[in-house]
Amino acid sequence: MKFLLVAVNAKYIHSNPAVYSLKTYAEDVHGQNGKERGKYPPVWVEIAEYTINHLTEKILEDIYQRKPDVIGFSCYIWNIHVVLELVRDLHKVLPDTDIWLGGPEVSFDGPEILKCEPEILGVMKGEGEDTFAALLDCYQLLKPPAGNRQQNNRTDFWRGLSQLSGITYRRADGEICDTERISAVRLNRIPFFYQDVDRFENRIIYYESSRGCPFSCSYCLSSIDRSIRFRDLKLVMQELDFFLKKKVPQVKFMDRTFNCKREHAMAVWQYILEHDNGVTNFHFEVAADLMGEEELALIGKMRPGLIQLEIGVQSTNPKTIREIQRKMDLERVRKVVAQINDRHNVHQHLDLIVGLPYEDYESFHRSFNDVYAMEPEQLQVGFLKVLKGSHMYSMAQQYELSYREKPPYEVLSTRWLPYRDVIRLKEVENMVEVYYNSGQFAGTLKLLVEKFGDAFMLYERLAGYYKERKLNGQNHSRMARYDILHQFIQKEVKEEEISRLEDALVQDCYLRENCKSRPMFALEQAPYKNIIRRLVPELRNLGTQIHVEVFRSGEIWLFDYRDRDPLTRNAAARRLQ
């Protein structure tokens, strides 16, 4: 018998640790109890990974050709529409195959899912390792025959299902049964599932050293499980050593608040500092205000690019923070982010959420400026997802919270934020992604913020310019983005200040790459050829590896593409005159 675990990821570079964890855990449990199970035909577990960009027809064909007896889908907000489409078609081409769902998108409304989708036999709720292992037992030991699941000779199988915890299932008579949730699994029991690391080449490695979260943020499903469990540090070190020896490009920790236990975080950071291979990058989601001076001193010693930090600020409105049941010392966050910035060795990614209670347009304006002033490498403007099972979901009526009917259930409006303002903030978010988060316009944006006196207003005006010129929805090249920003500057800035901004644009442009086509707004260089040759005689031999530029200010700069900043990827630059 074959049980196929199916993952439909958002992108090819992503992997799905859930299906690998279920498989290795179940195999380990079955291996430990092999004598008893050796009397019965084995259940083989296979994994199939696809992306939402694959044609569903091709996924359907591939699953069909694998001929599984049972299929389990890993369900999230980004793939549930694809999964349900596949479920309906799979039942037509594989009518005798049992179909199960699991994952956060189906864990909190199993009965409703089964009522709407008659092709599905059951749903695994919450953490799935123990549930999946028990379900495999049910299939192996009770040996349900292939064929219509209504057959009377499957009575033992239905009785076995009724005794499992953590599932919602459809009985032989069609009645939907919902069993109690299973207790949380101990992380040390889950085997390491990256032994065949070559399978994950060119993909992000996701790693988990803890589960649960100490906070109760109302929009997050992690707040439901506050029983924080940690994987034994001895195991963690062994597994990190495996990644380091294999020189995996990136390991992304899934821990919801990695530094909630100081000793655990310090031990991991100390280990990767001492065993740095010069290649691997580690990503952590942290609470900045929990960091002490010892943690900051340790981080300050790290190679640039060894770690990157994601810090969820979400809002700086005190009333909003209280209402979403979040605890945060904003002044401490500012201080920590600034200290890390001063070292210039860690990429910091700060998050804001649009659509939280008590956050209207002006309040978000202030939150944006507060976080922008912290100068993170990336500022992520996200939009509230109203997740089933979260406290935010239960408060939707009180907050007059309207959201999309289909996943990812994104906010449309709240009591404080009408839909027209959500649209405006979408336009601002697009400009932040294009200009700030790309990292290609840093010098120019800094000057523009000085001119406008308000960072949010700059992106708001830039969004208005795009809308007015009908520039949205087009696939602009990198140079086209520079040209558009130049045109915006000409419209918004006094004539006597334009030349300084044009110099900044040119500098930003050449910091990233030696442009094949010269920017239209750059100063003509022909009159300065002799000066450049005299200052940089090696220019002719080095070709495109360096570039020398004379600016309107009279300054002459050399850009060296052989030496790049590990965080920004900008070329090394020095002033010659």
Side-chain angles (χ1 to χ4, degrees):
M1 177 177 288
K2 181 191 292 187
F3 200 122
L4 182 67
L5 289 172
V6 179
V8 184
N9 302 322
K11 297 178 181 178
Y12 173 75
I13 61 168
H14 297 166
S15 57
N16 185 307
V19 292
Y20 291 95
S21 184
L22 295 187
K23 181 179 188 296
T24 53
Y25 184 88
E27 288 173 345
D28 186 64
V29 169
H30 282 209
Q32 292 174 16
N33 301 309
K35 289 183 179 180
E36 175 65 24
R37 291 177 178 80
K39 302 175 184 178
Y40 305 98
V43 178
W44 302 106
V45 180
E46 288 186 11
I47 289 174
E49 285 194 88
Y50 312 95
T51 78
I52 58 174
N53 298 314
H54 280 110
L55 292 173
T56 52
E57 179 183 357
K58 294 300 179 183
I59 301 177
L60 181 68
E61 289 177 10
D62 188 65
I63 293 176
Y64 174 80
Q65 289 168 359
R66 291 172 182 263
K67 293 292 187 288
D69 298 286
V70 192
I71 304 173
F73 284 96
S74 182
C75 302
Y76 300 87
I77 54 176
W78 63 78
N79 72 3
I80 189 65
H81 62 291
V82 174
V83 168
L84 293 181
E85 182 182 341
L86 286 168
V87 163
R88 293 158 193 157
D89 289 338
L90 279 166
H91 187 65
K92 297 171 186 175
V93 297
L94 293 171
D96 296 332
T97 298
D98 289 345
I99 298 175
W100 288 80
L101 305 184
E105 181 54 22
V106 295
S107 285
F108 300 94
D109 62 345
E112 288 72 20
I113 291 281
L114 295 187
K115 287 175 187 175
C116 297
E117 306 295 338
E119 302 87 359
I120 299 169
L121 175 57
V123 170
M124 291 181 281
K125 304 182 293 184
E127 294 184 29
E129 284 88 359
D130 281 322
T131 301
F132 181 66
L135 185 62
L136 285 190
D137 276 353
C138 212
Y139 274 101
Q140 181 173 343
L141 303 180
L142 303 178
K143 298 183 296 183
N148 191 319
R149 63 171 67 101
Q150 305 297 327
Q151 292 176 2
N152 292 330
N153 59 359
R154 295 185 74 176
T155 302
D156 290 343
F157 177 65
W158 302 116
R159 187 180 299 115
L161 284 185
S162 70
Q163 295 171 5
L164 297 187
S165 298
I167 65 170
T168 304
Y169 70 99
R170 194 188 313 277
R171 279 193 340 197
D173 59 7
E175 183 179 344
I176 294 172
C177 300
D178 195 27
T179 69
E180 64 181 9
R181 286 182 173 270
I182 202 164
S183 57
V185 67
R186 288 186 292 115
L187 294 194
N188 288 349
R189 291 181 59 198
I190 301 174
F192 185 63
F193 51 80
Y194 283 114
Q195 297 294 351
D196 183 15
V197 75
D198 292 340
R199 181 170 184 167
F200 300 91
E201 188 177 4
N202 301 320
R203 299 166 77 185
I204 297 171
I205 296 290
Y206 293 95
Y207 181 76
E208 186 176 42
S209 73
S210 69
R211 280 186 188 173
C213 183
F215 301 112
S216 304
C217 304
S218 62
Y219 52 82
C220 182
L221 292 180
S222 295
S223 63
I224 296 170
D225 177 16
R226 299 190 66 188
S227 60
I228 309 170
R229 291 148 288 143
F230 293 87
R231 194 164 175 83
D232 187 84
L233 277 170
K234 185 177 180 181
L235 284 176
V236 173
M237 303 312 184
Q238 291 172 359
E239 291 156 1
L240 292 182
D241 193 55
F242 176 85
F243 295 137
L244 289 162
K245 286 179 178 176
K246 292 289 185 178
K247 294 193 173 180
V248 170
Q250 185 179 55
V251 177
K252 190 167 186 177
F253 275 66
M254 296 187 294
D255 306 42
R256 299 312 301 164
T257 307
F258 174 74
N259 63 326
C260 64
K261 184 178 179 182
R262 180 181 171 279
E263 296 79 6
H264 182 86
M266 285 288 287
V268 171
W269 284 337
Q270 184 69 47
Y271 189 84
I272 63 176
L273 171 64
E274 293 174 356
H275 297 82
D276 181 15
N277 60 14
V279 174
T280 304
N281 164 265
F282 294 90
H283 176 105
F284 301 95
E285 188 171 340
V286 300
D289 50 335
L290 295 184
M291 284 192 187
E293 295 307 314
E294 191 175 359
E295 292 98 306
L296 292 171
L298 181 62
I299 289 171
K301 299 175 184 177
M302 293 179 177
R303 161 181 62 87
L306 174 59
I307 70 169
Q308 59 190 52
L309 301 177
E310 182 174 349
I311 300 167
V313 180
Q314 320 312 8
S315 171
T316 62
N317 182 332
K319 197 168 184 180
T320 297
I321 294 298
R322 285 195 300 271
E323 185 65 21
I324 62 175
Q325 302 173 29
R326 185 174 176 81
K327 294 180 180 179
M328 180 178 66
D329 182 342
L330 182 58
E331 289 309 311
R332 180 62 187 167
V333 171
R334 284 194 179 103
K335 183 178 179 181
V336 167
V337 171
Q339 282 186 248
I340 295 173
N341 271 342
D342 287 344
R343 298 278 185 164
H344 192 68
N345 67 330
V346 175
H347 179 284
Q348 295 188 90
H349 176 143
L350 272 57
D351 297 337
L352 286 171
I353 297 178
V354 173
L356 296 175
Y358 297 101
E359 186 100 278
D360 59 15
Y361 192 84
E362 284 308 311
S363 171
F364 186 83
H365 181 152
R366 291 190 293 272
S367 291
F368 181 95
N369 282 345
D370 287 339
V371 174
Y372 193 93
M374 297 182 202
E375 300 182 346
E377 277 69 32
Q378 285 211 323
L379 198 173
Q380 179 68 48
V381 178
F383 289 76
L384 177 67
K385 312 292 189 297
V386 186
L387 303 177
K388 289 178 284 188
S390 68
H391 180 65
M392 188 69 70
Y393 180 83
S394 66
M395 294 294 287
Q397 186 173 357
Q398 183 173 328
Y399 295 152
E400 298 174 23
L401 178 54
S402 175
Y403 53 92
R404 298 285 300 274
E405 287 297 315
K406 293 183 178 181
Y409 314 113
E410 194 170 88
V411 64
L412 293 172
S413 64
T414 71
R415 190 201 309 172
W416 305 271
L417 194 71
Y419 183 51
R420 65 176 179 275
D421 286 345
V422 171
I423 293 173
R424 292 169 68 192
L425 291 173
K426 286 271 186 182
E427 293 166 350
V428 169
E429 183 254 351
N430 184 40
M431 294 298 98
V432 173
E433 279 298 307
V434 168
Y435 287 102
Y436 186 85
N437 288 343
S438 69
Q440 298 178 21
F441 307 86
T444 309
L445 292 174
K446 189 170 185 178
L447 291 178
L448 281 171
V449 170
E450 289 177 8
K451 299 297 179 189
F452 277 82
D454 186 303
F456 182 85
M457 191 178 294
L458 165 63
Y459 292 97
E460 187 181 50
R461 294 276 280 275
L462 191 52
Y465 183 82
Y466 263 70
K467 190 173 184 178
E468 176 188 322
R469 296 291 195 279
K470 295 182 171 55
L471 297 169
N472 292 311
Q474 300 179 37
N475 188 20
H476 299 288
S477 67
R478 175 174 175 268
M479 286 309 302
R481 297 289 190 186
Y482 279 96
D483 290 335
I484 293 168
L485 189 56
H486 181 237
Q487 293 159 17
F488 171 78
I489 289 168
Q490 289 180 314
K491 178 179 181 292
E492 296 286 340
V493 176
K494 295 177 181 178
E495 188 173 350
E496 61 269 21
E497 298 173 336
I498 289 177
S499 64
R500 186 183 177 206
L501 283 158
E502 286 176 331
D503 276 355
L505 267 178
V506 174
Q507 185 162 36
D508 283 336
C509 193
Y510 280 105
L511 277 169
R512 186 53 59 95
E513 66 174 324
N514 197 347
C515 306
K516 293 178 182 177
S517 56
R518 188 158 175 75
M520 296 177 63
F521 45 81
L523 180 67
E524 175 58 49
Q525 299 290 287
Y528 308 100
K529 282 185 178 179
N530 290 334
I531 296 174
I532 292 172
R533 286 172 185 159
R534 177 167 48 81
L535 287 172
V536 191
E538 69 271 26
L539 182 61
R540 181 175 299 175
N541 296 328
L542 291 174
T544 58
Q545 295 181 76
I546 64 172
H547 173 76
V548 178
E549 182 75 18
V550 180
F551 291 93
R552 288 177 174 81
S553 64
E555 294 181 359
I556 303 175
W557 283 76
L558 183 147
F559 301 88
D560 190 342
Y561 303 102
R562 299 166 299 176
D563 180 16
R564 289 185 177 272
D565 185 297
L567 289 190
T568 65
R569 301 307 302 157
N570 283 342
R574 70 176 190 272
R575 184 180 172 184
L576 301 179
Q577 180 177 315

